[in-house]
Amino acid sequence: EFRRFSLERSKPGKFEEFYGLLQHVHKIPNVDVLVGYTDIHGDLLPINNDDNYHKAVSTANPLLRIFIQRKEDADYSAFGTDTMTRKKNVLSNVLRPDNHKKKPHIVISMPQDFRPVSSIIDVDILPETHRRVRLYKYGTDKPLGFYIRDGSSVRVTPHGLEKVPGIFISRLVPGGLAQSTGLLAVNDEVLEVNGIEVSGKSLDQVTDMMIANSRNLIITVRPANQRNNVVRNSRTSGSSGQSTESSLPSSTPNILGNLLQGEEESDEEDIIIEDSGEPQQIPKAAPTSDSIESLSQIELLHESTQNGFLPSSEMNLNHSAGSISMEYEVPEAGRKSLEEDGTVITL
Amino acid sequence: MRRFLRPGHDPVRERLKRDLFQFNKTVEHGFPHQPSALGYSPFLRLMAIGTRSGAIKLYGAPGVEFMGLHEENNTVMQIHFIPDQCQLVTLLDDNSLHLWNLKQHGGASELREEHRFTLKGPPGSPPSATQVTAVLPHSSREVLYLGTESGNIFVVELPSFRVLEDRTITPEAVLQRVPEDNCNRRSCELVEALREHPKNPNQILIGYSRALIVLWDLQNNQAIHHFLGNQQLENLYWQRDGSKFISCHYDGSYTQWPVSSDNRQSEPLENTVPYGPFPCKAISKIYWQTTKNGLPYIIFQGGMPRASYGDRHSISVIHGSQQTAFDFTSRVIDFFIIFSSDPAAEFDDPSALVVLAEEELVVIDLKSAGWPAVHPPYLASLHCSAITCSHHVSNIPLKLWERIISAGSKQNIHYSSMPWPIDGGTNIAPDPPQRDLLLTGHEDGTVRFWDASGVCLHLLYKLSTVRVFLTDADPNDNMNTLGEDEWPPLRKVGTFDPYSDDPRLGIQKIYLCKYSGYLAVAGTAGQVLVMELNDEDAEHVVDHAEADLLQDQEGYRWKGHEKLKTRDGPVRFEAGFQPFVLVQCQPPAVVTSLALHSEWKLVAFGTSHGFGLFDHQQKRLVFVKCTLHPSDQLALEGPLSRVKSLKKSLRQSFRRIRRSRVSSRKRRGAGGNASEVQEANAKFDQDALQEMELAPVQRKIEARSAEDSFTGFVRTLYFADTFLRDSSRHCPSLWAGTNGGTVYAFSLRVPPAERRMDEPVKAEQAKEIQLMHRAPVVGILVLDGRSTPLPEPLEVAHDLSKSPDMQGSHQLLVVSEEQFKVFTLPKVSSKLKLKLTALEGCRVRKVTVANFGSCKTDDYSENDLAVLTNLGDIQIISLPFLKLQIRYPCIRKEDVSGIASCVFTKYGQGFYLISPSEFERFSLSTKWLVEPRCIVDMPEVTSNNHMHNKSGTENAERKSSPGDCGEDERKSGRLMEHALLNDEKVLKEIQSTLEGGR
């Protein structure tokens, strides 16, 4: 069912008004819908707030194709399959964070609708042959569900090809987190665990590292099957590359952007039961200025900017009213930002 | 790593770290693993032991010890001291010879390898032509005679190892003077023994394997005498005056031969088979010792009747009508006799028999009636029963020390009072700074108290917990009861007894309070004993309580071992630590943690099911807490119950064998002896190994969950007087950490001293912390307001510690296998943490607070955490800021038992087992270093010494040339490395670093 109508490009108005207009035009005043549009690259992108609404209007050339789906049978995965585009999206989302509160009923592609399960991260700074996968264990009962083994891989060195020992994924448990993401496969070589290279470490050491990080495990693999790699075409690298390069001209390619965030959050939630009362999370004590912890977190903040996450932490700074100190916020920021970029991605 | 490096470059701190920390492996305590050769120098009064891994260790007076390591790591076959020199020659199983020298360097003697040499035959000759079988260092100190498998005797010059080809004694030359009718070329195959004439250095006695013995004149290069036996030759020994010699043989006989100048072929004087007439085992070595009273001592190894006693490891001493066959607990490697070393003395007058058995050193006093054993001051067999745990207590108050020694001396009355006969060298190490005790728990239910203050680990006192229990072992089953008329006159000597009668008796945890003398000991079957030191024998009833750790949980069934049965009625205890309270955990699982508070008179214990607190003053159980997860079935069945039962059955079969050996002296077939069981055992191990190799090595990656097995396993218990509920009032508290990352804190109410017996101790759970990473909690510690760890109980009362700061806020340090975390108290909020596993892939195995003093100034010391990881690294982590200070590789990561056995002292030293019988001692501190430092001086050589008529003036050789200092340091570095590093890779690494440092 098609409708055609016009809007004034210079004064598009608010998204809410636009949404009402759509409902009116389609005569569906009480039906929740998802709104999307096709951008200049032909991707279907959502319209659910003022920003992306404005963005959509501005891209009209001159026609803007709007797609409306009934929310109940909406196909969520239809929206943007490209993380790079998504990041930009996130960025625009958070510029007006108040929106989230105002319209709690608008949930199209809102990350809080999803429990993040896994994600590919740092695509822009890794070689294309590598893949950095984040598995979110917390909040799920699914086992991580994979096994690793010793093996050997061939490296190109100045002296020619050399066989070096390596760690490989040996088995995926059916129904486990690792298998269900589809991002890891048997015989993928494990290169790093939460930013620490595994070369020179024994199988047991790597096992211990993975288990120690199991609540927020980031593993960098060289997939055995190299045909499914994320291909950086000019468009995506252009859109995200700008933000990366502008903030970090001399970035070393293998810094794990998410490492410190990952490290500082999610496993902090030690629980205390006082006098047989209710279990509570253990809060952080006020920081001492000379603690290493704070040093590393300033570092963290810095690194966040490399991946364009600074806006999101700013958001949280606004959020958390004054009394809470830096120590507390930064992990918060980390958590928020990972939620936002976390999506089920299947290749 | 970045997080450590960035803030770490404070130059002041870096300098201080150098003044505080330093890693050294200082000395090996205990008995060398797999000894293979023994040597003795009557001149230096030093004993040398070689091992199968190529180590050579020299021992003299207590504290005098040296260690060397052959780079080849080959078995040391023979050790020979060069007469009247500080030199010795070793023969390895690769047929190489090594010359070692004791040289003085920097005020102390050091053992170094000087030369090495492998005998080379003419091209094309078989390897047997040069396979060395006998070594004779000639008294001239200039040459070495090397008997070979081919029958040739090569002469090599010392110290250059140059072969003097023109002096080789060939079988052909020997046979020239021997009538051909009873000898042929084959008679001269394989030189079995070479002995120099005791009075005439120009004559040597050559014994060939096929029983031809030739007295050879070195000056004229010809045989003076020949002697023809009819049994395969094993060994030879000269009588002191050179008029007779004795030969021993494969058939268990020995023969005396006269040496007279008129008769070129002698007939034996006497041929005896001491344990005949039935076939006997070979006598492999024999001594003939003359005495003033005319009756000689004949001392020989082996010779037992083949069928009935062929499996015994015996050395027989015959002196007139006295005859004893000392029966050793393990194979005899070699032995020697200490006798008058004065060459002018007319008689040997033997004073002691020193026997190196595979598992222990036994010294027999031959001067005292009854030939009692001498208590060795070193080379203790730590493993006489397998070590199951160890506990170190530093700085023992003198009073307690003396009481323990006095209790121990009452146990040692059967030992000879003879002073230690091997007393060469001088110990110049400074006196140990303090009295330290190392307590080892053993599988047989004993606790041994070792003096660990100095270089010699010396047994002070042995405590047995067995008497409290009723075991299968009959206490009256005395192995030594043999009647007067028994033949052979066997007498069991030595303490090595690895077969535990009941594995449940095994000691798992020890805690000694050095101020009060209270000792808590806990074992494999959930038994916890609290003991008190009593200087007198006493007979009393041990109070008995049971702690049901499952409480009201239903439906559980323990499939492990039963609890130990206790003895009813009063039990007699010898002076020393005497138990007065026994708590038995139910189910009777292994006690996994133990804490004793001697001031509050409380003992806490934990197993895989929970933990409990017992008031040993009122003898009342205060509370129990079950930590078991309802779904944890494994913990209930008893850990590794199947493995245990296998071990048990093996153990029982061993015991049967031992019993049968003792009780039945009937002839029996060869079946069912110990070596067969060992073989079966080895085969089983091999099968298990193969099975392991077939399974693909893969590791499951899974987050820990509350449902995992053994989460309730209590890993650590800790008493603290701290602010548990509010910041205004501190109170006694008990902390427990589990395998599942849970920390429980109980506040305790201990009545004041005057009402201590009237009011009950009360406990209430105050906190429960669940670490979300769920890694096992291995250490809990409370830091006071000055961030200093709380003192031990009674430490303040004895004025040995400042009282803790109760003004500032306390902090709680929780060490899990993966992380270190500091929380505030009383309100628990997380303050600091250090992640280990997530960053480095290693886990904490042992952690202790250690005090490090500066080597520069006496007034600075600090407390740090000493941490041993599962990779065998030691890390020092600062308190309270948890910064990594320094890291040292210490134990190979494959050496799981070494890592598991490690124990730290409170002053930055530590011990770990490098073999079942040896502790390596190491030091992390610049200040507390216990290492051997000794001097071996060449004794004055008496001028009328007949042996030195050829070269009596050359004993100035030993002085080290000043030029080789650099090399000295390089070599001494190697000496410190242990012989068990037979891993080629490790050795290469060591070598390359040494070379790099040159």
Side-chain angles (χ1 to χ4, degrees), chain A residues 170 204 268-270 274, chain B residues 698-699 767 772 821 833:
Chain A
S170 61
D204 288 330
E268 278 313 284
E269 307 146 357
D270 293 342
E274 299 259 4
Chain B
Q698 58 175 8
R699 295 281 182 272
K767 290 188 194 318
M772 283 320 276
K821 286 192 148 181
K833 77 173 164 196

Side-chain angles (χ1 to χ4, degrees), chain B residues 76 136 317 340 493 497 528 686 702 771 781 786 969 991:
Chain B
V76 180
L136 171 66
V317 180
S340 168
V493 282
D497 179 17
V528 179
Q686 217 170 16
E702 205 46 76
L771 303 177
L781 185 69
R786 288 184 295 260
E969 259 146 39
Q991 209 178 339

Side-chain angles (χ1 to χ4, degrees), chain B residues 125-182:
Chain B
S125 60
S128 69
T130 54
Q131 182 68 49
V132 178
T133 52
V135 178
L136 171 66
H138 194 256
S139 60
S140 66
R141 286 111 76 178
E142 285 164 347
V143 291
L144 215 55
Y145 292 90
L146 303 174
T148 63
E149 243 173 51
S150 62
N152 284 304
I153 296 156
F154 295 90
V155 186
V156 293
E157 203 177 53
L158 281 176
S160 63
F161 280 124
R162 192 167 59 89
V163 181
L164 304 171
E165 279 175 30
D166 55 320
R167 290 171 69 179
T168 303
I169 304 166
T170 63
E172 288 73 20
V174 169
L175 288 168
Q176 271 180 7
R177 302 286 298 271
V178 177
E180 284 204 23
D181 50 331
N182 42 24

Side-chain angles (χ1 to χ4, degrees), chain B residues 763-807:
Chain B
E764 195 180 354
Q765 180 163 341
K767 290 188 194 318
E768 178 180 336
I769 300 170
Q770 175 62 55
L771 303 177
M772 283 320 276
H773 66 288
R774 294 189 184 280
V777 176
V778 293
I780 297 173
L781 185 69
V782 172
L783 307 175
D784 72 4
R786 288 184 295 260
S787 295
T788 308
L790 292 183
E792 277 179 49
L794 293 176
E795 209 166 54
V796 176
H798 284 71
D799 283 338
L800 286 154
S801 171
K802 272 196 283 186
S803 42
D805 180 5
M806 290 301 192
Q807 307 305 317

Side-chain angles (χ1 to χ4, degrees), chain B residues 563-804:
Chain B
K563 70 170 186 177
L564 284 159
K565 287 194 186 71
T566 52
R567 250 174 232 282
D568 296 325
V571 184
R572 177 139 207 99
F573 296 102
E574 57 180 22
F577 287 93
Q578 297 174 346
F580 62 95
V581 159
L582 166 67
V583 183
Q584 284 186 295
C585 298
Q586 195 54 253
V590 158
V591 175
T592 54
S593 55
L594 180 71
L596 177 78
H597 201 292
S598 42
E599 206 168 343
W600 304 335
K601 308 259 192 298
L602 296 173
V603 63
F605 45 88
T607 72
S608 49
H609 303 105
F611 58 96
L613 180 69
F614 190 84
D615 173 357
H616 65 75
Q617 176 94 352
Q618 293 185 20
K619 292 168 182 148
R620 191 184 132 262
L621 190 65
V622 179
F623 75 93
V624 289
K625 166 84 183 172
C626 180
T627 53
L628 197 67
H629 193 274
S631 67
D632 193 353
Q633 279 301 318
L634 266 178
L636 271 160
E637 291 178 6
L640 310 170
S641 50
R642 266 189 311 170
V643 176
K644 277 268 165 63
S645 65
L646 175 75
K647 212 173 156 191
K648 192 179 171 192
S649 69
L650 270 173
R651 204 190 312 272
Q652 277 167 345
S653 55
F654 270 120
R655 213 167 67 211
R656 268 199 303 278
I657 292 155
R658 198 167 50 141
R659 285 268 170 81
S660 64
R661 263 169 46 172
V662 173
S663 56
S664 78
R665 282 180 299 276
K666 286 173 215 138
R667 303 257 159 115
R668 55 191 162 85
N673 66 19
S675 70
E676 258 179 35
V677 176
Q678 265 161 358
E679 259 168 54
N681 205 2
K683 191 175 175 296
F684 172 82
D685 284 349
Q686 217 170 16
D687 289 351
L689 243 159
Q690 270 175 353
E691 217 166 277
M692 262 165 54
E693 275 164 20
L694 286 176
V697 182
Q698 58 175 8
R699 295 281 182 272
K700 188 181 188 181
I701 306 299
E702 205 46 76
R704 294 195 179 85
S705 84
E707 283 84 46
D708 285 351
S709 283
F710 301 118
T711 50
F713 195 118
V714 179
R715 292 288 292 266
T716 183
L717 288 163
Y718 178 67
F719 284 108
D721 186 358
T722 188
F723 301 91
L724 193 56
R725 287 177 190 276
D726 58 71
S727 48
S728 55
R729 268 200 346 249
H730 58 93
C731 67
S733 63
L734 172 66
W735 299 76
T738 72
N739 227 25
T742 313
V743 175
Y744 300 94
F746 281 74
S747 67
L748 309 176
R749 211 185 64 78
V750 183
E754 62 275 16
R755 294 197 301 277
R756 183 64 182 80
M757 283 307 283
D758 309 328
E759 292 174 21
V761 175
K762 282 185 184 149
E764 195 180 354
Q765 180 163 341
K767 290 188 194 318
E768 178 180 336
I769 300 170
Q770 175 62 55
L771 303 177
M772 283 320 276
H773 66 288
R774 294 189 184 280
V777 176
V778 293
I780 297 173
L781 185 69
V782 172
L783 307 175
D784 72 4
R786 288 184 295 260
S787 295
T788 308
L790 292 183
E792 277 179 49
L794 293 176
E795 209 166 54
V796 176
H798 284 71
D799 283 338
L800 286 154
S801 171
K802 272 196 283 186
S803 42

Side-chain angles (χ1 to χ4, degrees), chain A residues 70-89:
Chain A
R70 204 190 275 270
K71 200 167 183 182
E72 299 89 84
D73 48 33
D75 177 10
Y76 288 85
S77 63
F79 291 112
T81 54
D82 192 326
T83 49
M84 290 306 103
T85 326
R86 179 152 309 279
K87 260 182 198 162
K88 189 180 69 181
N89 221 358

